[in-house]
Amino acid sequence: MSKIKKILVANRGEIALRIMRSAHEMDIKTVAVYSEADRQSLHVRYADEAILIGPPPSAESYLRIDKIIAAAKQSGSDAIHPGYGFLSENELFARRVEEEGLAFIGPSAKSIEIMGSKLAAKAAVAKFNVPLVPGTSEPIDDIGKAKKIAAEIGYPILIKASAGGGGKGMRIVEDGKSFEEQMERAVSEATSAFGDGSVFIEKYITKPRHIEFQIFGDKHGNIVHLFERECSIQRRHQKVVEEAPSSVLTPDIRNAMGTAAINVAKSCGYYNAGTVEFIMDDKLNFYFLEMNTRLQVEHPVTEEITGLDLVQLQIKVAEGERFPFRQDELSIHGHALEIRVYAEDPANNFLPDIGTLKTYTRPQGHGIRVDDGFEQGMDIPFYYDPMIAKLICHADTRDAAIRKMIRAIDEYEITGLETTLGFCRFVMEHEAFRSGNFDTRFVENFFKPEAIKEPGDNEAWISAALAATLLNGKNGSHPEPAARAETSVKWRNRRFEG
Ligand code: ADP
Ligand code: ADP
Ligand code: MG
């Protein structure tokens, strides 16, 4: 295979920029595609060329295979990077890209197809000695039979859409009474959301932790893992805080899970970057959940602890190069945390709160990385995922990374809309998170909106800050407490400023 000279990035926002930056460092030209809602977007400005592909709705732009292929041809691109979301896990797209003689920067269409169905994935990995969550291995068509199986597995159980993703298409059933009703709802939701009503049953793992492994394969049969990411802090089964390494894995468990992850990759002849997700119970038993056949949102924490540029590696693997390291040459350096800054209101069930970034100031300094796609004054469009930015911190130890994250959150200034920043600060300060003793129900168990936004909080903080300032003025002591209180007021009371 030959060197790639021009990459079309079939995505938008922070991930499009992140990919283009690596391409730029490799002297590869970049082509952006954009919808009418993204005319002013940073990814459009950053690219060497930009092509308008349609109206704002994704179905008319970022999901249009024909338009994206036409843009690639028109621009003379020789490769396409799909990013995450949109067409990244669409096997028809991957196949079409290759049929057109372009390089798809990702796995084969066949791997995507197998892992795109949670049931097909389970069937493939079962032959490779990978532990699976107890449950059904076929789509359910007989409710009576399914209810019997559910009783055998033991409640609570989870009904899952085989084609599901992004935390959607899942229902927890607590007992047999509501089984039929939940089942009907699950099938109709799966049909309308994914065009495929196949559902199956899994045991609901209690006190579950979500731990995933980054894997990487080349086209010469080499597959390694780049360690784990802990992603248990979630809302709506979707991640908000991620870290690497996980504070619960011993070297032995890491080894066992890493080997299982590599086996999952082998089961579908995988190459390029992928993520194998596991669910872990409170006794540290782990079970395969699914494989995401793309670059993951939270890949930066892996980059921080390994020092590798995953996008650069993806491009090289697509060019046919061998993965440059053996497993025993890879190791973990320090600790990394990522928070997802969403335009959402944690006080209102994390519902999207889109609008204009009235003020937008990024944190800076040692060990801080911000991957975003916006600038002050820009609108967060209503059509797409409401993620504004990913804030990533790296330090020698977990504790130091947490302190750095709190400092960075305090420096981050966003007004004009509600964000998850205050919630993430709450997580960083919470004893359960600090101790490492938490699971995916963290939000349900510990989070109350009052914790970050109490009525009267405003006055309380301002008077505390004032008192501290006056006190400091009088006795000439260190002014730090006042300054810190004031910074906190900024994010705690964005609503009152906007
Ligand atoms: P990650 O596992 O990388 O954290 P997420 O589950 O948060 O990824 O999903 C990444 C992006 O892809 C999100 O924008 C999400 O909405 C989207 N996504 C993932 N799977 C699907 C799917 N099956 N259908 C539609 N969107 C999806
Ligand atoms: P998606 O394709 O939407 O990402 P996953 O199967 O990866 O679906 O599950 C998403 C999240 O749902 C997990 O991170 C976890 O929090 C929860 N979950 C999934 N399966 C189980 C299970 N069997 N028991 C407990 N929680 C689960
Ligand atoms: Mg998942």
Side-chain angles (χ1 to χ4, degrees):
M1 250 193 220
S2 54
K3 289 274 175 205
I4 291 169
K5 294 184 200 70
K6 198 188 249 193
I7 296 175
L8 179 142
V9 180
N11 216 299
R12 63 180 298 283
E14 68 88 16
I15 195 61
L17 269 171
R18 193 260 162 272
I19 294 162
M20 289 175 191
R21 289 195 161 110
S22 288
H24 193 62
E25 288 173 25
M26 297 168 81
D27 284 328
I28 297 173
K29 294 267 180 255
T30 54
V31 180
V33 290
Y34 64 100
S35 76
E36 284 161 10
D38 279 337
R39 285 181 191 280
Q40 308 300 325
S41 291
L42 297 188
H43 79 280
V44 174
R45 285 194 247 157
Y46 192 93
D48 295 302
E49 291 165 59
I51 299 174
L52 176 69
I53 51 168
S58 335
E60 294 170 49
S61 49
Y62 297 106
L63 291 172
R64 284 286 296 266
I65 296 179
D66 54 341
K67 292 198 175 176
I68 289 167
I69 297 285
K73 295 262 149 173
Q74 182 195 325
S75 57
S77 301
D78 46 13
I80 294 187
H81 195 305
Y84 57 72
F86 296 127
L87 293 169
S88 62
E89 294 180 273
N90 183 314
E91 75 263 19
L92 297 176
F93 181 57
R95 193 164 288 133
R96 179 75 195 281
V97 170
E98 305 241 292
E99 278 167 10
E100 296 286 344
L102 305 163
F104 182 74
I105 303 175
S108 70
K110 188 76 203 158
S111 300
I112 298 177
E113 185 184 349
I114 296 170
M115 293 297 158
S117 148
K118 293 190 203 288
L119 281 171
K122 283 175 191 254
V125 309
K127 299 182 199 112
F128 280 75
N129 213 8
V130 176
L132 298 176
V133 187
T136 54
S137 55
E138 302 282 325
I140 295 162
D141 39 28
D142 180 335
I143 293 200
K145 217 159 94 190
K147 199 172 169 184
K148 231 180 111 214
I149 296 171
E152 278 163 27
I153 296 170
Y155 289 96
I157 59 114
L158 204 55
I159 303 176
K160 268 193 191 180
S162 183
K168 294 175 194 83
M170 251 179 278
R171 294 200 152 257
I172 302 174
V173 189
E174 299 291 345
D175 53 52
K177 276 184 284 198
S178 58
F179 187 86
E180 281 91 348
E181 185 201 329
Q182 298 279 39
M183 187 78 195
E184 273 158 28
R185 281 215 209 155
V187 174
S188 88
E189 272 172 17
T191 311
S192 63
F194 311 109
D196 174 359
S198 311
V199 298
F200 62 98
I201 293 176
E202 251 179 27
K203 177 157 187 63
Y204 182 78
I205 304 294
T206 42
K207 303 202 178 148
R209 295 179 82 113
H210 175 116
I211 295 179
E212 60 185 34
F213 271 69
Q214 175 71 52
I215 66 100
F216 228 107
D218 63 25
K219 292 178 174 170
H220 308 277
N222 304 304
I223 305 177
V224 298
H225 72 79
L226 302 178
F227 314 103
E228 77 279 8
R229 291 183 288 256
E230 157 86 59
C231 315
S232 298
I233 306 290
Q234 307 181 341
R235 44 102 185 77
R236 288 193 292 274
H237 304 299
Q238 256 211 316
K239 306 152 189 169
V240 243
V241 177
E242 298 109 342
E243 61 180 316
S246 161
S247 53
V248 289
L249 294 205
T250 60
D252 282 350
I253 300 175
R254 179 169 294 122
N255 234 330
M257 292 180 85
T259 305
I262 289 172
N263 280 334
V264 169
K266 282 185 181 157
S267 79
C268 64
Y270 203 85
Y271 52 76
N272 219 299
T275 294
V276 178
E277 298 189 331
F278 295 99
I279 195 107
M280 181 177 262
D281 69 17
D282 52 354
K283 297 185 186 67
L284 306 187
N285 297 306
F286 63 90
Y287 308 94
F288 170 70
L289 268 187
E290 64 161 350
M291 180 171 190
N292 294 327
T293 53
R294 55 169 160 88
L295 191 67
Q296 199 93 338
V297 176
E298 57 275 22
H299 75 277
V301 292
T302 301
E303 297 188 318
E304 295 299 320
I305 61 153
T306 58
L308 300 173
D309 176 335
L310 297 194
V311 171
Q312 188 180 102
L313 287 169
Q314 284 193 294
I315 295 171
K316 288 185 173 172
V317 161
E319 289 176 332
E321 276 193 35
R322 284 174 187 279
F323 191 80
F325 303 102
R326 289 193 319 262
Q327 190 68 57
D328 60 8
E329 293 173 314
L330 296 160
S331 56
I332 298 175
H333 301 276
H335 199 97
L337 288 166
E338 172 182 289
I339 64 163
R340 299 193 192 183
V341 185
Y342 281 100
E344 287 180 359
D345 185 0
N348 187 16
N349 241 328
F350 293 91
L351 285 176
D353 187 48
I354 45 178
T356 305
L357 292 168
K358 210 170 144 228
T359 49
Y360 185 71
T361 312
R362 298 173 188 91
Q364 292 181 334
H366 182 260
I368 308 257
R369 164 174 171 184
V370 180
D371 280 21
D372 64 10
F374 294 99
E375 272 178 349
Q376 185 161 300
M378 287 177 127
D379 289 330
I380 310 294
F382 143 90
Y383 301 95
Y384 317 109
D385 193 81
M387 194 172 75
I388 302 168
K390 305 187 303 206
L391 169 57
I392 303 114
C393 293
H394 183 242
D396 286 344
T397 62
R398 185 170 191 264
D399 189 53
I402 292 175
R403 286 160 189 267
K404 203 180 277 289
M405 184 60 89
I406 293 174
R407 189 268 286 175
I409 291 173
D410 287 348
E411 280 182 25
Y412 218 141
E413 202 184 324
I414 305 180
T415 64
L417 36 75
E418 294 296 329
T419 75
T420 45
L421 273 177
F423 167 75
C424 291
R425 194 185 200 281
F426 169 84
V427 175
M428 294 299 135
E429 289 196 318
H430 199 279
E431 196 279 322
F433 184 74
R434 289 263 169 147
S435 69
N437 186 18
F438 58 92
D439 57 54
T440 61
R441 297 163 316 158
F442 180 93
V443 172
E444 289 86 335
N445 288 349
F446 303 119
F447 180 62
K448 286 187 203 69
E450 305 88 82
I452 52 169
K453 203 194 297 153
E454 283 164 24
D457 191 37
N458 197 9
E459 291 89 315
W461 273 90
I462 288 172
S463 51
L466 261 174
T469 311
L470 289 174
L471 212 69
N472 288 332
K474 258 189 206 146
N475 63 16
S477 71
H478 203 271
E480 207 177 62
R484 278 177 50 193
E486 273 165 6
T487 327
S488 300
V489 168
K490 271 184 209 151
W491 62 258
R492 276 175 180 257
N493 298 295
R494 267 162 298 120
R495 166 158 283 177
F496 304 107
E497 294 172 19

